[in-house]
Coordinates of all heavy atoms in Angstrom, one line a residue:
Chain A
F113 N 62.9 -35.9 -42.0 CA 61.6 -36.4 -42.5 C 61.4 -36.2 -44.1 O 60.4 -36.6 -44.6 CB 60.5 -35.5 -41.8 CG 59.1 -36.2 -41.9 CD1 58.9 -37.4 -41.3 CD2 58.1 -35.6 -42.6 CE1 57.7 -38.0 -41.4 CE2 56.8 -36.2 -42.7 CZ 56.6 -37.4 -42.1
M115 N 61.5 -33.4 -45.8 CA 60.8 -32.2 -46.3 C 61.8 -31.2 -47.0 O 61.3 -30.2 -47.5 CB 60.1 -31.6 -45.2 CG 58.9 -32.4 -44.7 SD 58.3 -31.9 -43.1 CE 57.2 -30.6 -43.5
P135 N 58.2 -37.5 -48.0 CA 57.6 -37.6 -46.6 C 56.5 -38.6 -46.5 O 56.4 -39.4 -45.5 CB 57.1 -36.1 -46.4 CG 57.9 -35.3 -47.3 CD 58.3 -36.1 -48.4
Q136 N 55.5 -38.6 -47.5 CA 54.4 -39.5 -47.4 C 54.9 -41.0 -47.4 O 54.3 -41.8 -46.7 CB 53.5 -39.3 -48.6 CG 52.5 -38.2 -48.4 CD 52.6 -37.3 -49.6 OE1 53.6 -36.7 -49.9 NE2 51.5 -37.2 -50.3
V139 N 56.0 -41.8 -44.0 CA 54.8 -42.0 -43.1 C 54.5 -43.5 -43.2 O 54.2 -44.2 -42.2 CB 53.7 -41.1 -43.5 CG1 52.4 -41.6 -42.7 CG2 54.0 -39.7 -43.2
F145 N 55.3 -37.2 -38.0 CA 55.9 -35.9 -37.8 C 54.8 -34.9 -37.2 O 53.7 -34.9 -37.8 CB 56.5 -35.4 -39.1 CG 57.1 -34.0 -39.0 CD1 58.2 -33.8 -38.1 CD2 56.7 -32.9 -39.7 CE1 58.8 -32.5 -38.0 CE2 57.3 -31.7 -39.6 CZ 58.3 -31.5 -38.8
V146 N 55.1 -34.2 -36.2 CA 54.2 -33.2 -35.7 C 54.9 -31.9 -35.9 O 55.9 -31.5 -35.2 CB 54.0 -33.4 -34.2 CG1 53.0 -32.3 -33.6 CG2 53.4 -34.8 -33.9
P147 N 54.4 -31.1 -36.9 CA 55.0 -29.8 -37.1 C 54.8 -28.8 -36.0 O 54.0 -29.1 -35.1 CB 54.2 -29.3 -38.3 CG 53.4 -30.4 -38.9 CD 53.2 -31.3 -37.7
T149 N 53.8 -25.5 -36.1 CA 52.6 -24.8 -36.2 C 51.7 -25.4 -37.2 O 52.1 -26.3 -37.9 CB 52.9 -23.3 -36.8 OG1 53.7 -23.5 -38.0 CG2 53.7 -22.5 -35.8
R150 N 50.4 -25.0 -37.1 CA 49.4 -25.6 -38.0 C 49.5 -27.1 -38.0 O 49.5 -27.8 -39.0 CB 49.5 -25.1 -39.4 CG 49.0 -23.6 -39.5 CD 49.2 -23.0 -40.8 NE 48.6 -23.8 -41.9 CZ 47.4 -23.8 -42.3 NH1 46.5 -23.2 -41.6 NH2 47.0 -24.6 -43.3
N151 N 49.5 -27.7 -36.8 CA 49.7 -29.1 -36.7 C 48.4 -29.9 -36.4 O 48.4 -31.1 -36.1 CB 50.7 -29.5 -35.6 CG 50.5 -28.8 -34.3 OD1 49.4 -28.4 -34.1 ND2 51.5 -28.7 -33.5
I152 N 47.2 -29.2 -36.5 CA 46.0 -29.9 -36.3 C 45.0 -29.5 -37.5 O 45.3 -28.5 -38.1 CB 45.3 -29.6 -35.0 CG1 45.1 -28.1 -34.8 CG2 46.0 -30.2 -33.9 CD1 44.2 -27.7 -33.8
F153 N 44.0 -30.2 -37.7 CA 42.9 -29.8 -38.6 C 41.9 -29.0 -37.7 O 41.0 -29.7 -37.1 CB 42.3 -31.0 -39.3 CG 43.2 -31.8 -40.1 CD1 43.5 -33.1 -39.8 CD2 43.7 -31.3 -41.3 CE1 44.4 -33.8 -40.6 CE2 44.6 -32.0 -42.1 CZ 44.9 -33.3 -41.7
A154 N 42.0 -27.7 -37.8 CA 41.2 -26.9 -36.8 C 39.7 -27.1 -36.9 O 39.0 -27.0 -36.0 CB 41.6 -25.5 -36.9
S155 N 39.2 -27.2 -38.2 CA 37.8 -27.3 -38.3 C 37.2 -28.7 -38.2 O 36.0 -28.9 -38.2 CB 37.4 -26.7 -39.7 OG 37.9 -27.6 -40.7
L156 N 38.1 -29.7 -38.0 CA 37.6 -31.0 -37.8 C 37.5 -31.3 -36.4 O 38.2 -30.8 -35.6 CB 38.5 -32.0 -38.6 CG 38.2 -32.4 -40.0 CD1 38.3 -31.1 -40.9 CD2 39.2 -33.5 -40.5
S157 N 36.6 -32.3 -36.0 CA 36.5 -32.6 -34.6 C 37.8 -33.4 -34.2 O 38.6 -33.9 -35.0 CB 35.3 -33.5 -34.4 OG 35.5 -34.8 -34.9
E160 N 37.8 -36.8 -35.6 CA 38.2 -36.8 -37.1 C 39.6 -36.5 -37.3 O 40.2 -37.1 -38.2 CB 37.3 -35.7 -37.8 CG 35.9 -36.1 -37.9 CD 35.0 -35.0 -38.4 OE1 35.3 -33.8 -38.3 OE2 33.9 -35.3 -38.9
N161 N 40.2 -35.7 -36.4 CA 41.7 -35.4 -36.5 C 42.4 -36.8 -36.4 O 43.3 -37.1 -37.1 CB 42.1 -34.5 -35.4 CG 42.2 -33.0 -35.9 OD1 43.2 -32.6 -36.5 ND2 41.1 -32.3 -35.7
E163 N 41.2 -39.8 -36.9 CA 40.9 -40.6 -38.0 C 41.8 -40.2 -39.2 O 42.3 -41.1 -39.9 CB 39.4 -40.4 -38.4 CG 38.4 -41.2 -37.6 CD 37.0 -40.9 -38.0 OE1 36.7 -40.7 -39.2 OE2 36.2 -40.8 -37.1
M164 N 42.0 -39.0 -39.4 CA 42.8 -38.5 -40.5 C 44.2 -38.9 -40.3 O 45.0 -39.2 -41.3 CB 42.7 -37.0 -40.7 CG 41.4 -36.6 -41.3 SD 41.0 -37.3 -42.9 CE 39.8 -38.5 -42.5
G165 N 44.7 -38.9 -39.1 CA 46.0 -39.4 -38.8 C 46.2 -40.8 -39.3 O 47.3 -41.2 -39.7
A166 N 45.1 -41.6 -39.2 CA 45.2 -43.0 -39.6 C 44.8 -43.3 -41.0 O 44.4 -44.4 -41.4 CB 44.4 -43.9 -38.6
F167 N 44.8 -42.2 -41.8 CA 44.2 -42.3 -43.2 C 44.8 -43.4 -44.0 O 44.1 -44.1 -44.7 CB 44.5 -40.9 -43.9 CG 43.7 -40.8 -45.2 CD1 42.4 -40.6 -45.2 CD2 44.4 -41.1 -46.4 CE1 41.7 -40.5 -46.4 CE2 43.7 -41.0 -47.6 CZ 42.4 -40.7 -47.6
L168 N 46.1 -43.6 -43.8 CA 46.8 -44.7 -44.6 C 46.4 -46.1 -44.2 O 46.7 -47.0 -44.9 CB 48.3 -44.5 -44.6 CG 48.8 -43.3 -45.5 CD1 50.3 -43.2 -45.3 CD2 48.5 -43.6 -46.9
R169 N 45.9 -46.2 -43.0 CA 45.7 -47.5 -42.5 C 44.3 -48.1 -43.0 O 43.3 -47.3 -43.0 CB 45.7 -47.5 -40.9 CG 47.0 -47.4 -40.4 CD 47.0 -47.3 -38.9 NE 46.3 -48.4 -38.3 CZ 46.1 -48.5 -36.9 NH1 46.5 -47.5 -36.2 NH2 45.5 -49.5 -36.4
R170 N 44.3 -49.3 -43.3 CA 43.0 -49.9 -43.8 C 42.4 -50.9 -42.7 O 41.3 -51.3 -42.9 CB 43.3 -50.7 -45.1 CG 43.5 -49.8 -46.3 CD 42.2 -49.1 -46.6 NE 42.4 -48.2 -47.8 CZ 41.3 -47.5 -48.3 NH1 40.1 -47.6 -47.7 NH2 41.5 -46.7 -49.3
R210 N 47.2 -37.4 -33.3 CA 47.1 -37.6 -34.7 C 48.3 -38.4 -35.3 O 48.1 -39.3 -36.0 CB 46.9 -36.3 -35.4 CG 46.7 -36.4 -36.9 CD 47.1 -35.2 -37.7 NE 48.6 -35.0 -37.6 CZ 49.5 -35.6 -38.4 NH1 49.1 -36.4 -39.3 NH2 50.8 -35.3 -38.2
T214 N 49.1 -43.5 -36.7 CA 49.6 -44.4 -37.8 C 50.4 -45.6 -37.1 O 51.0 -46.4 -37.8 CB 50.6 -43.6 -38.6 OG1 51.5 -42.8 -37.8 CG2 49.9 -42.7 -39.6
Chain B
L197 N 30.5 -35.5 -46.9 CA 31.6 -34.7 -46.3 C 31.8 -35.0 -44.9 O 33.0 -35.0 -44.4 CB 31.4 -33.2 -46.5 CG 31.5 -32.6 -47.9 CD1 31.2 -31.2 -47.9 CD2 32.9 -32.8 -48.4
N198 N 30.8 -35.4 -44.2 CA 30.9 -35.5 -42.7 C 31.0 -36.9 -42.2 O 31.4 -37.2 -41.1 CB 29.7 -34.8 -42.0 CG 29.7 -33.3 -42.1 OD1 30.8 -32.7 -42.0 ND2 28.6 -32.7 -42.5
R199 N 30.5 -37.9 -43.1 CA 30.5 -39.3 -42.6 C 31.4 -40.2 -43.2 O 31.8 -41.2 -42.7 CB 29.1 -39.8 -42.8 CG 28.0 -39.1 -41.9 CD 28.0 -39.7 -40.5 NE 27.1 -39.0 -39.6 CZ 27.5 -38.0 -38.9 NH1 28.7 -37.6 -38.9 NH2 26.6 -37.3 -38.1
T200 N 31.8 -39.9 -44.5 CA 32.7 -40.9 -45.2 C 34.2 -40.5 -45.0 O 34.5 -39.3 -44.8 CB 32.4 -41.0 -46.7 OG1 32.7 -39.7 -47.3 CG2 30.9 -41.3 -46.9
R201 N 35.0 -41.5 -45.1 CA 36.4 -41.3 -45.0 C 37.0 -40.4 -46.0 O 37.7 -39.4 -45.7 CB 37.1 -42.7 -45.1 CG 38.5 -42.7 -44.8 CD 39.0 -44.2 -44.6 NE 40.4 -44.4 -44.8 CZ 41.0 -44.5 -46.0 NH1 40.3 -44.4 -47.1 NH2 42.3 -44.6 -46.0
T202 N 36.5 -40.6 -47.3 CA 37.0 -39.7 -48.4 C 36.5 -38.3 -48.2 O 37.3 -37.3 -48.4 CB 36.4 -40.3 -49.7 OG1 36.7 -41.6 -49.8 CG2 37.1 -39.6 -50.9
G203 N 35.3 -38.1 -47.7 CA 34.7 -36.8 -47.5 C 35.5 -36.1 -46.4 O 35.8 -34.9 -46.5
K204 N 35.8 -36.8 -45.3 CA 36.6 -36.2 -44.2 C 38.0 -35.8 -44.7 O 38.5 -34.8 -44.4 CB 36.7 -37.2 -43.1 CG 35.4 -37.3 -42.3 CD 35.6 -38.4 -41.2 CE 34.2 -38.7 -40.6 NZ 34.3 -39.8 -39.6
S205 N 38.5 -36.6 -45.6 CA 39.9 -36.3 -46.1 C 39.8 -35.0 -47.0 O 40.8 -34.3 -47.0 CB 40.5 -37.5 -46.9 OG 39.9 -37.6 -48.1
M206 N 38.7 -34.8 -47.7 CA 38.5 -33.6 -48.4 C 38.5 -32.4 -47.5 O 39.1 -31.4 -47.7 CB 37.2 -33.6 -49.2 CG 37.4 -34.4 -50.5 SD 35.8 -34.5 -51.4 CE 35.5 -32.8 -51.8
R207 N 37.7 -32.5 -46.4 CA 37.7 -31.4 -45.4 C 39.0 -31.2 -44.8 O 39.4 -30.0 -44.6 CB 36.6 -31.7 -44.3 CG 35.2 -31.4 -44.8 CD 34.2 -32.1 -43.9 NE 34.4 -31.6 -42.5 CZ 34.2 -32.5 -41.5 NH1 33.9 -33.7 -41.7 NH2 34.4 -32.0 -40.3
A208 N 39.7 -32.2 -44.5 CA 41.0 -32.1 -43.9 C 42.0 -31.4 -44.9 O 42.7 -30.5 -44.5 CB 41.6 -33.5 -43.5
F209 N 41.9 -31.8 -46.1 CA 42.8 -31.2 -47.2 C 42.5 -29.7 -47.3 O 43.4 -28.9 -47.4 CB 42.5 -31.9 -48.5 CG 43.5 -31.4 -49.6 CD1 44.7 -32.1 -49.7 CD2 43.1 -30.4 -50.5 CE1 45.6 -31.7 -50.7 CE2 44.0 -30.0 -51.4 CZ 45.3 -30.7 -51.6
S210 N 41.2 -29.4 -47.2 CA 40.8 -28.0 -47.4 C 41.2 -27.2 -46.1 O 41.6 -26.0 -46.2 CB 39.3 -27.9 -47.5 OG 38.8 -26.6 -47.3
D211 N 41.2 -27.8 -45.0 CA 41.6 -27.1 -43.7 C 43.1 -26.9 -43.6 O 43.5 -25.8 -43.3 CB 41.1 -28.1 -42.6 CG 41.3 -27.4 -41.2 OD1 42.5 -27.1 -40.9 OD2 40.4 -27.3 -40.5
N212 N 43.9 -27.9 -43.9 CA 45.3 -27.8 -43.7 C 46.1 -28.7 -44.7 O 46.2 -29.9 -44.4 CB 45.6 -28.2 -42.2 CG 47.1 -27.9 -41.9 OD1 47.9 -27.8 -42.7 ND2 47.3 -27.8 -40.6
E213 N 46.4 -28.2 -45.8 CA 47.0 -29.0 -46.9 C 48.2 -29.7 -46.5 O 48.4 -30.9 -46.8 CB 47.2 -28.0 -48.1 CG 47.5 -28.8 -49.4 CD 47.6 -27.8 -50.5 OE1 47.1 -26.7 -50.5 OE2 48.3 -28.2 -51.5
D214 N 49.1 -29.0 -45.8 CA 50.4 -29.6 -45.5 C 50.2 -30.8 -44.5 O 50.8 -31.8 -44.7 CB 51.3 -28.6 -44.8 CG 51.7 -27.4 -45.7 OD1 51.8 -27.7 -46.9 OD2 51.9 -26.3 -45.3
L215 N 49.4 -30.6 -43.5 CA 49.2 -31.7 -42.6 C 48.4 -32.9 -43.3 O 48.7 -34.0 -42.9 CB 48.3 -31.2 -41.4 CG 48.4 -32.1 -40.1 CD1 49.8 -32.2 -39.6 CD2 47.4 -31.5 -39.1
A216 N 47.6 -32.5 -44.2 CA 46.9 -33.6 -45.0 C 47.9 -34.5 -45.7 O 47.9 -35.7 -45.8 CB 45.9 -33.0 -46.0
L217 N 49.0 -33.8 -46.3 CA 50.0 -34.5 -47.0 C 50.8 -35.4 -46.0 O 51.1 -36.5 -46.3 CB 51.0 -33.5 -47.6 CG 50.4 -32.7 -48.8 CD1 51.5 -31.7 -49.3 CD2 50.1 -33.7 -49.9
L218 N 51.1 -34.8 -44.8 CA 51.8 -35.6 -43.7 C 51.0 -36.8 -43.3 O 51.5 -37.8 -42.8 CB 52.1 -34.7 -42.5 CG 53.1 -33.6 -42.7 CD1 53.4 -32.9 -41.4 CD2 54.4 -34.3 -43.2
S219 N 49.6 -36.7 -43.4 CA 48.8 -37.8 -43.0 C 48.6 -38.8 -44.1 O 47.9 -39.8 -43.9 CB 47.4 -37.3 -42.6 OG 47.6 -36.3 -41.6
G220 N 49.2 -38.6 -45.2 CA 49.2 -39.6 -46.3 C 48.0 -39.4 -47.2 O 47.6 -40.3 -48.0
I221 N 47.3 -38.2 -47.1 CA 46.1 -38.0 -48.0 C 46.6 -37.6 -49.4 O 47.5 -36.7 -49.5 CB 45.2 -36.9 -47.4 CG1 44.6 -37.4 -46.1 CG2 44.1 -36.5 -48.4 CD1 43.9 -36.3 -45.3
S222 N 46.2 -38.3 -50.4 CA 46.7 -38.0 -51.7 C 46.0 -36.8 -52.4 O 44.8 -36.8 -52.6 CB 46.6 -39.2 -52.7 OG 46.5 -38.8 -54.0
P223 N 46.8 -35.7 -52.7 CA 46.1 -34.5 -53.2 C 45.4 -34.8 -54.5 O 44.3 -34.3 -54.8 CB 47.3 -33.5 -53.3 CG 48.5 -34.3 -53.2 CD 48.2 -35.5 -52.5
R225 N 44.0 -37.3 -55.7 CA 42.7 -38.1 -55.6 C 41.7 -37.1 -55.0 O 40.6 -37.1 -55.5 CB 43.0 -39.2 -54.6 CG 41.8 -40.1 -54.5 CD 42.1 -41.5 -53.9 NE 40.9 -42.2 -53.6 CZ 40.3 -42.1 -52.4 NH1 40.8 -41.4 -51.5 NH2 39.1 -42.7 -52.2
V226 N 42.0 -36.3 -54.0 CA 41.1 -35.3 -53.4 C 40.6 -34.4 -54.5 O 39.4 -34.1 -54.7 CB 41.7 -34.6 -52.3 CG1 40.9 -33.4 -51.9 CG2 41.9 -35.5 -51.1

Side-chain angles (χ1 to χ4, degrees):
Chain A
F113 198 63
M115 289 162 86
Q136 278 128 298
V139 173
F145 180 60
V146 181
T149 52
R150 285 174 52 79
N151 51 20
I152 54 165
F153 298 112
S155 65
L156 271 62
S157 73
E160 286 169 340
N161 265 277
E163 280 173 39
M164 286 302 108
F167 189 79
L168 283 177
R169 286 176 57 185
R170 286 290 179 179
R210 184 205 62 85
T214 46
Chain B
L197 287 178
N198 291 317
R199 292 276 175 271
T200 66
R201 187 167 160 277
T202 311
K204 284 176 192 172
S205 75
M206 278 174 64
R207 282 165 53 219
F209 187 85
S210 165
D211 184 301
N212 189 338
E213 193 175 337
D214 296 329
L215 196 61
L217 291 176
L218 288 183
S219 305
I221 294 169
S222 152
R225 186 160 170 271
V226 167

